[in-house]
């Protein structure tokens, strides 16, 4: 695999922020880089979800709280733009972790999404303060 400069940024950000979002055009390697970092144990994740799976997408959209509660963290969610309803629930989870100090809240979520302008608007509206 080609070493990419973004690797270091992802690793550093996962030790600083609870949510790391990678956006970009389709087929540029967003999921591939996370898979690589996970395989090399440079980031942690208990599960890797792809919301292009229609069943997962439907579950995530219909009941974001239940959907996310069925997984352990840290969690990789690919194609987050397919279920923007998850953004608000992600913020609730991160805020709860911080308030309860249950465990380190850094690197809880790794999200990928295509570079649609509306995804950035949703991030700004839902994840402000994270």
């Amino acid at each position: 695999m080609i070493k990419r400069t973004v690797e270091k940024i992802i690793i550093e950000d996962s030790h600083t922020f609870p949510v790391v979002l990678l956006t970009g055009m389709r087929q540029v390697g967003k999921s591939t880089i996370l898979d690589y970092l996970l395989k090399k144990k440079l980031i942690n994740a208990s599960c890797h979800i792809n919301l292009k799976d229609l069943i997962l997408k439907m579950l995530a959209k219909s009941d974001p709280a239940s959907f996310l509660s069925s997984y352990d963290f840290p969690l990789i969610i690919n194609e987050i733009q397919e279920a923007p309803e998850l953004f608000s629930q992600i913020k609730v989870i991160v805020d709860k972790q911080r308030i309860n100090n249950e465990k380190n809240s850094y690197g809880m979520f790794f999200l990928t999404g295509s570079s649609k302008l509306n995804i950035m608007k949703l991030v700004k509206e839902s994840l402000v303060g994270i």
Side-chain angles (χ1 to χ4, degrees), residues 8-20 106-107 110:
K8 183 179 177 186
I9 295 167
I10 294 168
I11 294 165
E12 288 174 358
D13 284 356
S14 73
H15 295 290
T16 308
F17 300 102
V19 180
V20 176
Y106 302 127
F110 295 89

Side-chain angles (χ1 to χ4, degrees), residues 17-28:
F17 300 102
V19 180
V20 176
L21 172 66
L22 287 118
T23 62
M25 297 183 329
R26 294 182 65 241
Q27 303 296 312
V28 296

Side-chain angles (χ1 to χ4, degrees), residues 2 20 30 40 45 52-53 56 59 71 85 103 112-113:
I2 299 170
V20 176
K30 299 178 296 290
K40 295 291 184 180
K52 286 293 185 181
D53 179 310
L56 292 177
L59 292 169
Y71 297 99
E85 296 82 358
K103 62 180 181 179
T112 71

Side-chain angles (χ1 to χ4, degrees), residues 48-125:
H48 194 148
I49 300 166
N50 190 335
L51 293 177
K52 286 293 185 181
D53 179 310
L54 294 177
I55 294 171
L56 292 177
K57 176 181 172 179
M58 181 189 70
L59 292 169
K61 290 175 79 61
S62 66
D63 191 352
S66 293
F67 178 78
L68 289 173
S69 71
S70 64
Y71 297 99
D72 291 327
F73 306 111
L75 182 61
I76 296 173
I77 304 175
N78 283 332
E79 307 293 349
I80 190 71
Q81 78 279 356
E82 296 292 332
E85 296 82 358
L86 292 175
F87 284 120
S88 293
Q89 190 59 35
I90 288 170
K91 180 164 178 32
V92 167
I93 291 168
V94 169
D95 286 347
K96 182 179 177 186
Q97 287 290 99
R98 286 180 167 171
I99 290 168
N100 293 338
N101 255 346
E102 292 174 3
K103 62 180 181 179
N104 189 341
S105 64
Y106 302 127
M108 291 179 67
F109 292 93
F110 295 89
L111 311 175
T112 71
S114 61
S115 58
K116 296 179 182 178
L117 293 177
N118 62 347
I119 193 173
M120 295 313 294
K121 181 181 178 194
L122 290 167
V123 168
K124 288 179 184 175
E125 290 173 0

